[in-house]
Amino acid sequence: MTTAIYPGSFDPITRGHTSILKSGLVCFEKIVVAVLNNPGKNPLFTVDERIEMIRETVEDMGEDPARVEVDSFDGLLVDYAKRKGARTLLRGLRAVADFEYELQMANMNRHLNEEVVTVFIMANDAYFYVASGLCKEVTKLGGDVSKLVPRPVAPKLRAKLGL
Ligand code: PNS
């Protein structure tokens, strides 16, 4: 079975992420969506909240839950991938601006474990500008991002921000 790890902060998951996940499922039999446990990044949602939102989103998308595992990790991503028996990391690319950061991470991960391969999928152009951070900022300032985040996420985002 070809399994890929799709790692990220997912604070919260956006429709950009879901477009990558959908495309990833064309390529891989199973995808493990791995939420980084990153208290240092001062996330808006706890890891458990992020996991719950991703699970609800996968259900809402109608994807086979057996093909999408949602988990959290801390420590090195390549070590986590090894524990999960996966040799592929899946990342999405939006604009050129993502490229340098992704290149750096992919090469660092290759340096740490050359058996692990990073695969990139281009984000759907409808969501090229969508980022979790921007969705949080816009919601906080009263803007509507309900078309940019999965259905189960929009009300939770507003509630979390006290709106
Ligand atoms: O959604 P993000 O915040 O861009 O995801 C970044 C993530 C989680 C993929 C990256 O920070 C990560 O893999 N962190 C785990 C620590 C690690 O392995 N660092 C060395 C590789 S660069």
Side-chain angles (χ1 to χ4, degrees):
M1 162 126 67
T2 53
T3 300
I5 307 288
Y6 181 26
S9 300
F10 302 105
D11 185 40
I13 186 168
T14 67
R15 292 199 188 189
H17 293 125
T18 55
S19 88
I20 302 294
L21 180 60
K22 241 182 187 326
S23 303
L25 286 167
V26 174
C27 311
F28 302 102
E29 286 166 282
K30 184 176 169 185
I31 293 184
V32 180
V33 182
V35 178
L36 176 66
N37 188 359
N38 52 351
K41 271 198 178 177
N42 207 12
L44 179 64
F45 292 97
T46 66
V47 169
D48 287 345
E49 288 168 336
R50 285 180 266 162
I51 287 178
E52 192 189 321
M53 281 187 285
I54 298 169
R55 288 204 177 119
E56 284 176 22
T57 298
V58 171
E59 201 183 318
D60 199 54
M61 287 164 73
E63 296 298 347
D64 178 356
R67 294 185 62 205
V68 185
E69 181 183 336
V70 188
D71 193 15
S72 65
F73 77 104
D74 38 33
L76 286 177
L77 177 58
V78 289
D79 292 345
Y80 173 74
K82 197 171 183 179
R83 287 201 296 280
K84 298 300 280 186
R87 290 181 53 187
T88 312
L89 306 175
L90 171 63
R91 291 287 287 174
L93 276 181
R94 290 167 300 190
V96 183
D98 284 345
F99 183 77
E100 221 167 304
Y101 170 59
E102 294 298 335
L103 180 71
Q104 196 178 18
M105 278 205 300
N107 280 320
M108 178 58 84
N109 284 326
R110 198 197 327 247
H111 167 77
L112 293 169
N113 185 339
E114 62 183 16
E115 289 185 354
V116 174
V117 175
T118 304
V119 168
F120 295 99
I121 288 181
M122 302 303 292
N124 181 326
D125 59 4
Y127 303 119
F128 243 55
Y129 59 98
V130 178
S132 303
L134 267 186
C135 289
K136 287 184 278 194
E137 184 183 323
V138 168
T139 304
K140 208 182 295 180
L141 298 173
D144 178 16
V145 298
S146 56
K147 291 199 169 68
L148 307 180
V149 295
R151 213 169 2 179
V153 173
K156 290 188 170 136
L157 191 51
R158 282 195 299 274
K160 191 75 170 178
L161 293 166
L163 299 167

